[in-house]
Amino acid sequence: LAINSKPYNVRRIQRIFLNADGTKHNNGKKHLGSNKKEPAAFTIPPLNKAVCTGHVLILEGLEDALSLRSMYPSSWFLVATDKSSLKNVIGFFEKAKFKKCLIIADNDTDVKPEVTGQALAWQLGQSLVEKDIQVTVKMPPEPKEDANSALQSGQLGSWFKNLIDVPKMYRMEISENSAEDYNEDLLEELNKKYAVVPIGNKMLILDIAEHEIRFFTRVDFNLALQNRTAIDDSGTAPKPIPASKWWLEHPERREYKSVDFLPGIGTTPDVFNMWHGFSVQPKGGLENIPLFHELIDEVICSGNEKWALYLWSWLAHMIQYPDEKPGVAIVLRSDAQGVGKSRFAEYVGSLLGRHYKTVTHGRHIHGNFNSHLKDTLLLFGDEAVWGGDRSTESIRKQLITEPNMIIEMKGKDAFEVKSYLRLILATNSEWAAPVGLTDRRYFVLDVPNSRRNDHDFFRKLNFEQLHGGSAALLQALMEVDLSDFEVRSIPETSARLEQKLLSMEPIEKWWLEILSNEDFTVGDKILNFDENNRVTKSDLLYSFNEHTKAYKPNHRNWEARRLCSQFKKL
């Protein structure tokens, strides 16, 4: 009657109870269809009554319809007072007045997917398609996200753009055949994403995401799949059951006996290898990355051919032999920011995807909880360490050289994986790394200011990387000849020598001062390099203690026995 502009009487469609201040009352709302009454649907005519577009929107609930009305002023709105009354909407199409229809369903979380609002909306849409109506069915991506709340928060436009198609699980009527097909598809889907694995003394669920590997407890897993169901057709009639429970009990669920990180190494079927491969396919070559070539040769390595050759080979070693631990970290030091250290690391990291991590705090390198390192091949520490931090020196050494690593996660057992970690450390500190006199762990470079804050160069460099540069760099590194390369033969650089001087032990600094200063006295005697010098132990001990106190006021005097022991080694 309403559609044909004829008079009609309705006793009650929907009654909304409010408090005096306009907030919702505890009684909520009642409508035709409540209290086992006959469910109802009703119409709202277009705001612009002079235009008849033949377009109609169907929604469940009066508030959503009124919230969207101004977006479609020339369209009719058909409103179901609840999801069960969606079936009555079909009657409004008998006069063939409408040609196009948009159905916006609620996102219900009913344990039975076949009786949710989105499932009933989809079935209504299929019925309308049979009447030659052009139908689109959408729903919010998350429950409780309705048009009314979006309008109140000023996000109605964003809400409308984020509507999604009704997922496959709601698009079917359950029968024995469809239940079997549905469960097969569900098993395949869950086996691609999840696996059961032992971690320490516990069994966890592996969540295999594109950019991250996570470990779920059973509680986490149940929560992740709380809105998913499988179909139990073992009884007289099919019924939905929680997908998490169904998959965990399924004999064909995906499972492994161990988890490890083995880049470039084949594994047995019972080991889950966290290595995901490179993030790009090799294509092009050195001729396609002139700006990166300039960055590494002229900026990072200051134009020194020997240093550049080593750094290129170190990077190529990571690509060609990811399963060999180099035992050498790269340290990039500069006196200022904006010289290109981070851009260099990011460009290289773009080849590795989730196997590249950037950290800006020391605890993410040597802290207790290190889950982020479990599948990391290259770790970039940006201002995350200081060479004088003796308390973490041993941990850094282990990360650089040790073949295994203990992974510790909050609330879960620790487990061991192979470690093929490479480190690039960048800092503006004068003391960048603890480089000992016989060190073989650090290749240190002072990065000059030649490209400092050269925004045009770095903008072009970024464009190069995003438009084939990463693929070309991967190809170039694969082609580097490493037949004569020994990764532990580190070139001596002026920066590395400076770090050795800064990292010296007190007795080393004292003895270097004696060797360097022709006027240095021990017991009022100037040592002569051309003859044997005899001094008393007490004078030697006094000289050392006083020299050390001059730059280290909290120095506690050594005893003669300790000094003599260290002095003999020196």
Side-chain angles (χ1 to χ4, degrees):
L1 292 173
I3 289 174
N4 290 290
S5 301
K6 295 180 181 180
Y8 61 96
N9 292 315
V10 176
R11 185 179 65 178
R12 175 171 63 87
I13 291 291
Q14 192 163 14
R15 187 184 282 169
I16 303 174
F17 295 86
L18 302 176
N19 296 314
D21 60 358
T23 58
K24 287 187 177 181
H25 190 273
N26 291 336
N27 288 344
K29 61 185 178 183
K30 293 185 181 296
H31 48 74
L32 289 180
S34 299
N35 303 323
K36 299 182 180 180
K37 299 285 182 71
E38 180 64 24
F42 59 93
T43 68
I44 302 177
L47 284 172
N48 187 352
K49 297 182 181 180
V51 178
C52 182
T53 61
H55 182 264
V56 63
L57 278 80
I58 300 175
L59 296 105
E60 177 191 331
L62 174 61
E63 298 98 321
D64 282 358
L66 294 178
S67 299
L68 290 167
R69 198 178 182 201
S70 62
M71 294 183 67
Y72 289 89
S74 301
S75 300
W76 282 82
F77 280 74
L78 305 180
V79 184
T81 56
D82 61 7
K83 63 184 179 183
S84 62
S85 57
L86 282 167
K87 63 178 181 291
N88 290 335
V89 173
I90 197 76
F92 291 115
F93 289 84
E94 292 177 356
K95 300 295 183 181
K97 186 180 184 74
F98 305 120
K99 300 299 181 183
K100 295 182 179 180
C101 174
L102 170 60
I103 304 175
I104 301 179
D106 287 355
N107 188 333
D108 292 343
T109 55
D110 197 295
V111 69
K112 297 181 179 181
E114 71 274 17
V115 298
T116 57
Q118 53 266 40
L120 297 176
W122 174 260
Q123 294 168 21
L124 171 63
Q126 296 306 293
S127 300
L128 294 178
V129 169
E130 295 175 0
K131 292 180 175 290
D132 295 326
I133 308 294
Q134 186 178 335
V135 180
T136 302
V137 185
K138 296 286 186 178
M139 61 181 279
E142 300 293 338
K144 306 299 182 183
E145 291 185 353
D146 55 35
N148 185 34
S149 59
L151 177 66
Q152 293 181 51
S153 63
Q155 301 294 322
L156 185 60
S158 299
W159 176 88
F160 194 83
K161 289 180 181 178
N162 291 331
L163 293 175
I164 63 171
D165 295 330
V166 174
K168 182 179 179 181
M169 64 180 295
Y170 301 108
R171 296 187 181 191
M172 55 187 297
E173 294 181 5
I174 294 180
S175 64
E176 290 187 5
N177 290 335
S178 62
E180 183 178 352
D181 293 340
Y182 175 79
N183 283 349
E184 286 183 1
D185 290 344
L186 181 63
L187 179 64
E188 182 180 359
E189 176 190 347
L190 297 184
N191 275 347
K192 285 181 179 178
K193 185 170 175 56
Y194 302 106
V196 176
V197 295
I199 297 295
N201 294 320
K202 298 179 180 178
M203 300 298 292
L204 298 179
I205 294 94
L206 194 66
D207 176 29
I208 308 163
E210 179 68 21
H211 302 292
E212 185 181 9
I213 294 291
R214 295 176 292 186
F215 296 93
F216 286 167
T217 63
R218 183 160 186 162
V219 173
D220 298 329
F221 183 62
N222 290 339
L223 182 60
L225 292 182
Q226 192 169 7
N227 62 340
R228 301 295 302 276
T229 57
I231 300 171
D232 181 6
D233 57 358
S234 60
T236 56
K239 62 178 181 179
I241 57 174
S244 56
K245 181 177 184 295
W246 171 83
W247 181 79
L248 286 172
E249 295 177 353
H250 200 286
E252 297 179 23
R253 74 183 186 188
R254 188 179 180 185
E255 57 184 53
Y256 297 93
K257 292 183 179 179
S258 63
V259 177
D260 213 332
F261 179 55
L262 304 167
I265 303 175
T267 60
T268 58
D270 58 352
V271 177
F272 179 79
N273 188 356
M274 291 185 287
W275 170 247
H276 192 61
F278 301 115
S279 61
V280 294
Q281 294 297 319
K283 183 180 180 181
L286 203 58
E287 66 277 5
N288 302 111
I289 50 173
L291 295 179
F292 180 81
H293 191 284
E294 179 182 347
L295 176 69
I296 189 173
D297 283 12
E298 302 302 324
V299 180
I300 301 298
C301 294
S302 304
N304 186 295
E305 184 177 348
K306 185 176 181 181
W307 302 348
L309 178 60
Y310 179 85
L311 186 53
W312 274 107
S313 300
W314 188 91
L315 295 175
H317 183 273
M318 176 178 66
I319 300 301
Q320 296 183 29
Y321 303 103
D323 57 333
E324 292 184 12
K325 186 101 169 179
V328 176
I330 306 298
V331 180
L332 307 179
R333 203 207 69 80
S334 67
D335 294 321
Q337 297 180 345
V339 299
K341 304 187 299 292
S342 298
R343 283 300 300 123
F344 166 74
E346 290 166 6
Y347 205 128
V348 175
S350 68
L351 314 185
L352 304 177
R354 74 182 187 207
H355 303 305
Y356 167 74
K357 298 288 192 309
T358 297
V359 296
T360 57
H361 198 286
R363 68 173 179 270
H364 295 137
I365 296 179
H366 39 65
N368 290 338
F369 300 114
N370 60 350
S371 176
H372 57 289
L373 300 181
K374 62 185 177 296
D375 59 349
T376 298
L377 186 64
L378 177 61
L379 181 68
F380 176 51
D382 192 2
E383 294 292 345
V385 297
W386 172 59
D389 187 359
R390 298 292 189 180
S391 63
T392 60
E393 181 180 349
S394 62
I395 299 176
R396 279 200 301 276
K397 287 181 178 179
Q398 290 175 8
L399 288 177
I400 295 170
T401 58
E402 287 301 312
N404 297 300
M405 183 189 307
I406 299 297
I407 300 299
E408 188 172 354
M409 301 176 287
K410 290 184 178 180
K412 300 179 176 69
D413 285 1
F415 65 102
E416 186 177 76
V417 297
K418 296 287 191 300
S419 174
Y420 301 100
L421 184 72
R422 277 85 166 161
L423 272 173
I424 296 180
L425 304 174
T427 182
N428 297 329
S429 299
E430 181 184 12
W431 194 353
V435 183
L437 294 181
T438 59
D439 173 80
R440 297 194 305 165
R441 288 187 175 91
Y442 295 101
F443 176 52
V444 189
L445 294 168
D446 267 336
V447 182
N449 296 340
S450 57
R451 287 292 184 181
R452 183 186 180 189
N453 295 330
D454 189 341
H455 303 300
D456 183 60
F457 173 80
F458 290 116
R459 183 167 51 250
K460 291 177 180 177
L461 180 72
N462 186 61
F463 183 86
E464 176 186 277
Q465 175 193 323
L466 298 176
H467 293 79
S470 298
L473 177 58
L474 181 60
Q475 181 67 53
L477 293 176
M478 286 180 170
E479 294 174 352
V480 173
D481 183 5
L482 297 178
S483 56
D484 295 327
F485 176 65
E486 172 50 57
V487 69
R488 298 226 175 188
S489 295
I490 305 172
E492 194 65 86
T493 67
S494 55
R496 178 174 154 85
L497 179 58
E498 180 66 25
Q499 297 307 306
K500 286 186 177 183
L501 295 173
L502 290 170
S503 304
M504 280 184 171
E505 297 294 338
I507 192 171
E508 295 170 342
K509 291 182 178 181
W510 166 69
W511 186 241
L512 179 64
E513 180 67 18
I514 292 177
L515 298 179
S516 305
N517 186 353
E518 293 183 355
D519 297 325
F520 196 92
T521 60
V522 176
D524 296 328
K525 179 180 180 180
I526 297 178
L527 303 185
N528 191 325
F529 278 74
D530 298 324
E531 61 185 48
N532 292 332
N533 297 274
R534 301 181 69 85
V535 297
T536 64
K537 289 182 182 179
S538 59
D539 288 339
L540 205 63
L541 181 62
Y542 180 80
S543 173
F544 164 74
N545 284 327
E546 290 303 306
H547 177 271
T548 304
K549 286 178 183 179
Y551 69 90
K552 191 177 180 181
N554 61 345
H555 169 71
R556 297 181 64 180
N557 286 345
W558 285 18
E559 296 179 351
R561 180 180 300 177
R562 181 180 180 185
L563 175 69
C564 291
S565 174
Q566 295 295 320
F567 192 50
K568 286 179 181 178
K569 292 179 182 180
L570 191 63

